[in-house]
Amino acid sequence: DVPDREGRVANVALGFATADDYVRDSPYFGAITGRYANRIARGHFALDGVEHRLAVNSGTNALHGGLKGFDKHLWKAEATDAKDGVALRLSRTSPDGEENFPGTMPVEVTYTLTEANELRIDYRATTDKPTVVNLTNHSYFNLAGEGSGSVLGHVLQLNASRYTPIDRFAIPTGEIAAVTGTPMDFTHPTAIGARIRNDFEQLRLGFGYDHNYVLDRPDPDDSGLVVAAVAIEPNSGRRLETRTTEPGIQFYSGNFLPGSYVGTSHRIYRQSDGFALETQHFPDSPNKPNFPSTVLRPGETYRSTTIYAFSTV
Ligand code: BGC
């Protein structure tokens, strides 16, 4: 629950009323997605000359870790100490060969609710064989409150002057394109819905916004926290600032919310009733040598941090 500018609280994350609903069928509401969040083309990649075949679970692609990805497992949960708030540590070990990914992978994800109204998510993973990893959180937000209707009036700013255009299979073409002069440009605060119906090929291919943005960093080699996105809901004044150590963020305008999920407050969610800001490495990186690498090798530790900070304006 997050207060608005008058102090009235609302639940700003889409979800279900019961735990059973999540188990039955969820479009990744609030989920940790992995081992590889987002898409791998044709569920196929080669690593060190070895071919790996994953299940194709979304059109022609592997999406969000496969048929039984990280979102569909029950994780071990423990309360843990944090100097700046309260924390929950989630952990599980993904076995070697799970969903055909190589390597045993112990994973730890710590959620900290800080005194500053931030939700900080720290990810950590290791492996015993060379593998790929890309973890994110797939929360859908509606800063007016879940179940209150469309998010098209939210004003969004993305700290990204470039993005990765997609083909008709929603796979990046490999090109890194400038957003300038297109409806993809959120470098200045703009309503999500302002241009979503423009006749622009990328919006047709994504059925709206469903694109990876390349975050601007003063030093491209720096992987410290950077502000990736700011979303404001004008009526309530609620503001969500997303900071991350990741190189990219998938901005998804809830295009495939079908109108058949009944949410936490027993209201039906329809297309664009929520949006996601999935901090991540770029989609299909295992097949794109020009994208930042998602390879993890024995002896290395994967680390990633994302902060969702709430305030009002
Ligand atoms: C993808 C969408 C997909 C959604 C739910 C997002 O990360 O980019 O295409 O529909 O997840 O599966």
Side-chain angles (χ1 to χ4, degrees):
D1 285 1
V2 175
D4 70 4
R5 63 163 82 87
E6 314 294 345
R8 287 175 300 227
V9 295
N11 175 0
V12 297
L14 275 59
F16 294 118
T18 73
D20 283 348
D21 293 321
Y22 287 92
V23 174
R24 199 173 306 121
D25 172 30
S26 167
Y28 305 92
F29 286 154
I32 298 167
T33 45
R35 199 183 279 203
Y36 197 95
N38 215 311
R39 294 176 172 80
I40 296 179
R42 298 177 310 284
H44 172 257
F45 69 99
L47 180 57
D48 300 338
V50 182
E51 304 274 322
H52 298 282
R53 295 215 162 264
L54 314 170
V56 163
N57 63 330
S58 172
T60 53
N61 306 314
L63 177 68
H64 295 329
L67 297 172
K68 190 169 179 185
F70 283 12
D71 59 296
K72 295 179 185 66
H73 288 273
L74 207 53
W75 295 52
K76 182 174 165 197
E78 308 154 90
T80 149
D81 290 333
K83 45 183 182 322
D84 52 348
V86 291
L88 181 73
R89 181 163 59 222
L90 301 168
S91 58
R92 73 176 291 263
T93 296
S94 171
D96 184 17
E98 182 176 54
E99 291 288 333
N100 284 349
F101 286 102
T104 313
M105 179 177 283
V107 192
E108 246 180 49
V109 181
T110 305
Y111 287 75
T112 306
L113 197 54
T114 75
E115 304 292 347
N117 273 338
E118 299 159 339
L119 175 63
R120 186 175 71 234
I121 311 178
D122 294 296
Y123 304 82
R124 194 176 180 286
T126 54
T127 183
D128 60 0
K129 287 183 189 165
T131 192
V132 295
V133 61
N134 190 31
L135 304 179
T136 193
N137 179 281
H138 202 296
S139 286
Y140 293 67
F141 297 104
N142 184 328
L143 299 178
E146 61 78 30
S148 68
S150 161
V151 296
L152 295 182
H154 284 51
V155 174
L156 179 69
Q157 183 167 17
L158 297 174
N159 173 28
S161 47
R162 295 170 304 158
Y163 74 112
T164 52
I166 53 174
D167 63 17
R168 66 196 172 93
F169 304 110
I171 291 294
T173 59
E175 185 199 354
I176 295 192
V179 296
T180 324
T182 77
M184 309 307 288
D185 189 351
F186 283 93
T187 55
H188 302 285
T190 310
I192 292 175
R195 301 155 303 180
I196 201 168
R197 292 183 174 81
N198 286 16
D199 181 8
F200 184 69
E201 186 185 30
Q202 285 296 313
L203 290 173
R204 286 199 303 270
L205 293 170
F207 298 88
Y209 296 101
D210 194 0
H211 293 83
N212 171 65
Y213 282 77
V214 178
L215 297 175
D216 291 336
R217 289 177 180 277
D219 171 2
D221 294 328
D222 173 48
S223 58
L225 282 168
V226 71
V227 175
V230 176
I232 292 171
E233 199 284 304
N235 297 320
S236 64
R238 290 192 190 90
R239 177 182 190 273
L240 166 60
E241 179 173 304
T242 305
R243 305 177 204 129
T244 189
T245 57
E246 287 296 312
I249 193 167
Q250 182 88 4
F251 166 46
Y252 172 51
S253 51
N255 314 329
F256 304 115
L257 278 174
S260 57
Y261 292 111
V262 180
T264 322
S265 56
H266 306 286
R267 303 263 302 163
I268 287 172
Y269 298 139
R270 296 173 58 82
Q271 185 182 49
S272 294
D273 281 0
F275 65 97
L277 293 168
E278 302 155 60
T279 56
Q280 59 174 11
H281 273 56
F282 307 170
D284 202 32
S285 296
N287 294 307
K288 298 284 191 299
N290 62 320
F291 287 178
S293 173
T294 51
V295 175
L296 184 70
R297 296 185 181 279
E300 298 174 345
T301 302
Y302 166 89
R303 282 178 214 277
S304 173
T305 297
T306 290
I307 297 174
Y308 292 115
F310 294 94
S311 59
T312 56
V313 293

